[in-house]
Amino acid sequence: MTQHNSKRMFIGGNWKMNGTREASTVLTTELVAAFEPLAASVDAAVFAPFPYLQHIGSIIRGSGLLLGAQQVSAEANGAFTGQVSAEMLLDVGVQIVIIGHSECRKLLAESDELIGEKVAIALSTGLSVMLCVGETWQERQSGQTEAVCRRQISAALKGIHLDHMGAIQIAYEPIWAIGTGRSASPEDAAISHAALRKDIEDLYDPSLAAATRILYGGSVNSANATSLFSQPEIQGALVGGASLKAADFASILRSASQATSSRPN
Ligand code: PEP
């Protein structure tokens, strides 16, 4: 698997449970056009709802945009009603999957251990992984941010061999910033990213830690993207709400492209 070039930014659009087939078609068509001049300098993915994956995949084919799914089962197959396996995702053209999103951790009561199992099966099937970690407001207030992130990342990467790490990127998503309009400050996000990078260094080695892309997620929009990306520790964004509007997502892509070109090699 290819190793990330951590200088190059990655922007993911997490559509969550939004849109219709028609609205998603319009959004994707506009995104493909907006992404075309930026594809040489930024990596990007759309994380579409399951029913639209194949259709969206057919629209983005050849554009360089990656097809992402928002969820995957920890099981390979069998009597797991309502779940979707990594093999099935791969079969319909999915390249990358979100694992450990705080909404799934909370609403579906996904444990650290289950998330680790999902990461393992996704990687062994050949999918790339967008691993989400992040603390609640209460945890931040009580000074536990780094410990919570360390616990989450250690459990998620348990048993993951160094050779597979090139297919993983981390999204630091403080839960209090998701969907609230209250982004972390660029400085606070950078501190958490640096701590996560140190965790990866402790779990693996310094060169892998340096090469692992760490994205920020939590109320990223067209107004705050440039200042977030001014922090070299921030190598992209996982975007929820603002990814549903092509003009906003395109603006974030442009900010990422500009940040990439201004960073030293
Ligand atoms: C997310 O859910 O991954 C997210 C970052 O959402 P928002 O951008 O809406 O805060």
Side-chain angles (χ1 to χ4, degrees):
M1 273 176 232
T2 47
Q3 195 80 359
H4 298 310
N5 168 359
S6 62
K7 180 181 180 251
R8 200 177 152 92
M9 307 271 262
F10 188 104
I11 307 296
N14 176 13
W15 296 352
K16 311 194 184 189
M17 198 172 71
N18 288 299
T20 58
R21 183 181 159 97
E22 195 183 331
S24 306
T25 302
V26 174
L27 173 62
T28 310
T29 307
E30 290 175 4
L31 283 183
V32 167
F35 187 60
E36 211 222 315
L38 304 171
S41 55
V42 186
D43 295 328
V46 287
F47 294 90
F50 286 142
Y52 305 141
L53 281 170
Q54 265 186 295
H55 174 58
I56 300 303
S58 71
I59 302 173
I60 64 176
R61 191 164 301 130
S63 70
L65 280 168
L66 298 179
L67 184 63
Q70 301 171 17
Q71 180 57 289
V72 65
S73 174
E75 306 293 338
N77 54 51
F80 301 101
T81 303
Q83 298 205 42
V84 174
S85 72
E87 198 75 55
M88 291 170 182
L89 294 178
L90 198 71
D91 201 19
V92 298
V94 169
Q95 294 152 294
I96 180 166
V97 60
I98 293 175
I99 297 178
H101 194 283
S102 65
E103 285 152 16
C104 303
R105 288 182 191 260
K106 184 163 179 229
L107 299 172
L108 305 176
E110 292 191 354
S111 66
D112 287 338
E113 289 67 31
L114 181 71
I115 288 160
E117 290 168 22
K118 291 185 179 207
V119 170
I121 200 162
L123 291 175
S124 65
T125 305
L127 295 169
S128 292
V129 169
M130 176 73 68
L131 171 65
C132 301
V133 298
E135 80 288 358
T136 63
W137 181 246
Q138 200 190 11
E139 287 163 343
R140 169 160 285 262
Q141 290 297 87
S142 55
Q144 294 176 70
T145 298
E146 290 178 17
V148 167
C149 291
R150 191 178 318 121
R151 190 200 75 224
Q152 292 176 344
I153 200 168
S154 305
L157 300 181
K158 196 171 171 199
I160 303 301
H161 193 270
L162 180 88
D163 291 349
H164 274 131
M165 283 299 292
I168 293 196
Q169 32 198 339
I170 313 293
Y172 168 62
E173 298 211 305
I175 296 169
W176 47 271
I178 295 178
T180 58
R182 186 163 61 116
S183 166
S185 71
E187 295 74 21
D188 282 348
I191 289 169
S192 292
H193 284 218
L196 280 163
R197 204 172 299 284
K198 177 75 172 65
D199 295 335
I200 299 169
E201 186 176 321
D202 293 344
L203 291 167
Y204 296 94
D205 64 49
S207 69
L208 177 80
T212 302
R213 210 153 34 182
I214 306 181
L215 282 55
Y216 168 77
S219 297
V220 177
N221 56 40
S222 54
N224 61 20
T226 298
S227 64
L228 285 161
F229 299 159
S230 70
Q231 295 286 337
E233 268 295 346
I234 299 178
Q235 287 133 357
L238 185 56
V239 185
S243 72
L244 296 170
K245 293 193 193 111
D248 289 3
F249 196 68
S251 166
I252 296 168
L253 286 168
R254 279 193 297 276
S255 295
S257 170
Q258 280 155 15
T260 302
S261 58
S262 66
R263 289 184 182 185
N265 281 316

